[in-house]
Amino acid sequence: MKRIIVYTRAWRSGVGLYAQGLVEGLAAAGSEVTFIAPAGYPEDRTAHLAKVRRIRPVREVIDGGSRLRRASFSLARVAGGLGALLAARFTSGRFIVSIPDPFVFAVWPLMLLRLTGAKVIFVCHDPEPHSWSLPARWRWLERAGYRAIYGCASLIVVLSEAGRAPLVRLFGVPPGKIVVSPHGAFDVPAAGPSPGSNTLLAFGTVRRNKQVALAMEAVIAAREAGCPVRMIVAGAKDPNDPAYLDECRAIAARCPEGLIMETGFITDERVNDLLAACDALLMPYTDFNSQSGVAVMAGMAGRPVIAAPAGGIADLIVAGLAAVEIPQPVDLDGVTRSILAFYAIPSAEWSNRAARGRVLLNEALAWPRIGRQLAGLFE
């Protein structure tokens, strides 16, 4: 079987774990793989796979150091990664790219791969950006960058059915160029039975489309209605919208006994602790058309969600994710009522539903199945 080159700049958090899971799935399905990505954090699960050749560009410096040092490591990572990507063309014409480098660096190597006859499958995690990187007056330039990247792809893989329409509407991608392949199951330990702790969890980057502020207001409203619920908000600020974290902190200051914030990068060990301690994850997402790695993680840990059926979350609920669906359009009253509806059901019942959901999701989101599907796209 011909070798498949998998390339990403991601090495931590959900997108890094996705790439590692995909490589594991391709290898389990029988493919020979060259995996080009910085060393995984906190561990590199692909390091000892027999069918995988591992190439590790340097990591960026995330915390600490001077601006010059951070820039130097970032450029070294870009140069090392893209150099290895182009060199891999001599060994294969089959490429899967997930989370590429910034447009100004990535588009030229991808164009060169296509011009030399390679087939490039692009895994599109967020068909429409959760938050744009450039100011509004430069939005046209950022859109052009996305169009260029999508134009370099032979096929584009989206992680949910909801991802098709934005690619066609916003970027003019031909529908026949888009394939749906689910986000694979994260390898997280089962969190055990519901603790009945009256604790909810909002996890991940604190972004506006996740409606974290609304979730916090709903917890306050549920408490005022007599439900002794509290919520932990755990995650890093959105680098494109750092003011939103300040807004959430101001809400938390109004109800310190019911709202707890843990900001910054959350380690895997702490994630496992948070999942074990919570009854459910609260996810009133809007303007969301990608798959939620957080919802996948919740389901695989055996935790239900109180969630709007937005984007790929709807697919997960159909597949078996235990959930209370927040009515749409999402508003404060609907989120509050959904919290109260969740706590009207005994925790033992939620434990049973979530355990069944974990089994169903593990089958539906198995990485070897996804690996076979993506490898088959090259045929």
Side-chain angles (χ1 to χ4, degrees):
M1 183 173 291
K2 294 182 180 179
R3 179 171 294 274
I4 297 174
I5 314 300
V6 178
Y7 178 81
T8 183
R9 65 182 171 93
W11 51 274
R12 69 174 187 172
S13 71
V15 288
L17 291 174
Y18 172 89
Q20 292 191 63
L22 175 58
V23 170
E24 290 177 359
L26 288 166
S31 296
E32 298 284 342
V33 183
T34 296
F35 183 30
I36 305 171
Y41 176 86
E43 63 176 334
D44 194 331
R45 301 201 313 264
T46 64
H48 305 295
L49 295 178
K51 291 180 176 290
V52 176
R53 179 189 175 205
R54 194 69 172 84
I55 299 176
R56 300 177 181 82
V58 298
R59 292 174 176 169
E60 297 99 333
V61 176
I62 301 299
D63 299 310
S66 66
R67 180 177 298 180
L68 177 61
R69 184 171 185 269
R70 293 196 301 271
S72 298
F73 272 79
S74 293
L75 289 173
R77 195 262 313 148
V78 170
L82 294 181
L85 180 69
L86 292 175
R89 180 65 184 91
F90 293 100
T91 64
S92 178
R94 301 180 174 201
F95 291 80
I96 298 176
V97 176
S98 169
I99 311 295
D101 298 283
F103 304 132
V104 67
F105 299 114
V107 68
W108 312 111
L110 293 179
M111 289 176 61
L112 187 57
L113 291 178
R114 290 301 309 280
L115 287 171
T116 59
K119 188 167 187 177
V120 178
I121 294 174
F122 185 81
V123 179
C124 182
H125 292 257
D126 302 315
E128 183 176 5
H130 295 312
S131 58
W132 297 88
S133 299
L134 298 179
R137 67 180 181 276
W138 296 108
R139 189 67 43 79
W140 64 272
L141 182 59
E142 195 166 356
R143 287 185 183 276
Y146 278 101
R147 283 180 178 271
I149 290 290
Y150 296 151
C152 290
S154 308
L155 291 172
I156 298 174
V157 169
V158 292
L159 305 182
S160 71
E161 287 290 343
R164 291 182 185 267
L167 287 177
V168 176
R169 184 182 73 253
L170 297 175
F171 303 104
V173 177
K177 191 176 177 176
I178 305 170
V179 177
V180 178
S181 179
H183 191 305
F186 285 128
D187 183 19
V188 296
S194 173
S197 61
N198 292 319
T199 300
L200 300 177
L201 175 64
F203 177 71
T205 304
V206 182
R207 292 194 304 256
R208 288 186 189 273
N209 75 309
K210 289 186 175 183
Q211 296 274 52
V212 179
L214 178 64
M216 298 170 78
E217 295 284 6
V219 167
I220 293 174
R223 291 172 63 87
E224 292 173 348
C227 179
V229 64
R230 65 174 193 152
M231 183 169 70
I232 300 171
V233 178
K237 68 181 178 182
D238 181 354
N240 298 323
D241 186 11
Y244 188 59
L245 180 60
D246 295 330
E247 296 174 26
C248 293
R249 283 173 170 156
I251 298 171
R254 288 170 29 212
C255 185
E257 67 280 7
L259 296 168
I260 302 160
M261 298 198 69
E262 295 187 21
T263 57
F265 179 73
I266 310 299
T267 66
D268 285 3
E269 294 77 10
R270 183 55 182 156
V271 172
N272 293 338
D273 291 342
L274 290 169
L275 290 170
C278 77
D279 298 324
L281 281 82
L282 182 55
M283 307 174 65
Y285 293 5
T286 58
D287 299 324
F288 184 75
N289 48 51
S290 54
Q291 185 51 279
S292 169
V294 173
V296 173
M297 185 177 293
M300 295 312 302
R303 284 293 176 263
V305 299
I306 305 169
I313 298 175
D315 297 351
L316 295 177
I317 293 173
V318 171
L321 178 65
V324 169
E325 291 191 30
I326 298 171
Q328 296 180 302
V330 175
D331 59 21
L332 177 60
D333 181 64
V335 180
T336 304
R337 286 188 287 109
S338 297
I339 293 172
L340 297 176
F342 175 83
Y343 279 108
I345 297 174
S347 60
E349 174 62 20
W350 279 120
S351 293
N352 292 334
R353 292 186 191 182
R356 289 195 300 270
R358 186 176 193 269
V359 173
L360 293 171
L361 289 174
N362 198 44
E363 295 173 355
L365 307 181
W367 283 114
R369 176 184 296 181
I370 295 168
R372 283 191 294 273
Q373 181 191 6
L374 267 62
L377 296 178
F378 290 106
E379 302 303 328

